[in-house]
Amino acid sequence: MDEPSELIYGMRLYEEAYQGNERIVHLLLDRGADANLEGGTYGTALQAAAYQENEQIVRLLLDRGADANIQGGYYETALQAAAFKGHEQIVRLLLDREADANVQGGTYRTALQAAAFEGNKQIVRVLLDLG
């Protein structure tokens, strides 16, 4: 695939992951979209899906090579986005897939601080217990 097509598929992957269109995300990945392409408010398609609590898309992206520790975007990592929004299942999934709970950066610096800022007590417990 040539570079412009990769970029277009990657940008489209981000948008479809954010909107929760699992079928189109799957199709784009099958066509070679880069699951780790960075850009947009949330940084990557994985971060956008985690923010939107699209667990199936998060799982699909991880299965297809998305790196849970890529940094960038408003929340810095997918784990921080999920922790901020209080998405416990996605937090657990990301931690199970080797997301680093101690990555620092973004608006809230760590996933723990993002969860605490929003008062997500259960997420704070999960992060302290598992991370």
Side-chain angles (χ1 to χ4, degrees):
M1 184 181 320
D2 63 350
E3 191 173 322
S5 294
E6 288 176 11
L7 184 59
I8 291 169
Y9 282 155
M11 292 183 332
R12 184 76 190 267
L13 179 66
Y14 173 92
E15 291 298 323
E16 298 301 335
Y18 179 80
Q19 296 197 15
N21 296 321
E22 184 179 351
R23 194 174 116 257
I24 295 175
V25 167
H26 199 282
L27 178 66
L28 289 166
L29 289 168
D30 285 347
R31 295 211 176 190
D34 182 354
N36 292 310
L37 185 70
E38 296 180 56
T41 302
Y42 302 103
T44 65
L46 181 63
Q47 292 173 14
Y51 178 82
Q52 289 293 85
E53 196 175 10
N54 293 316
E55 185 177 349
Q56 294 304 326
I57 293 176
V58 168
R59 189 176 305 279
L60 175 61
L61 289 165
L62 288 168
D63 288 346
R64 298 293 290 274
D67 183 343
N69 293 307
I70 287 181
Q71 295 176 261
Y74 187 79
Y75 294 100
E76 196 67 17
T77 66
L79 184 59
Q80 283 187 37
F84 177 83
K85 293 291 284 188
H87 304 319
E88 183 178 350
Q89 290 306 105
I90 293 176
V91 166
R92 289 180 181 278
L93 174 60
L94 290 166
L95 290 170
D96 287 346
R97 300 289 187 97
E98 300 182 10
D100 184 350
N102 297 309
V103 169
Q104 295 187 15
T107 302
Y108 300 98
R109 301 295 302 150
T110 67
L112 182 62
Q113 289 173 314
F117 181 84
E118 279 300 291
N120 295 321
K121 294 176 186 175
Q122 185 59 30
I123 302 297
V124 168
R125 284 187 201 104
V126 167
L127 289 168
L128 290 173
D129 289 347
L130 301 176

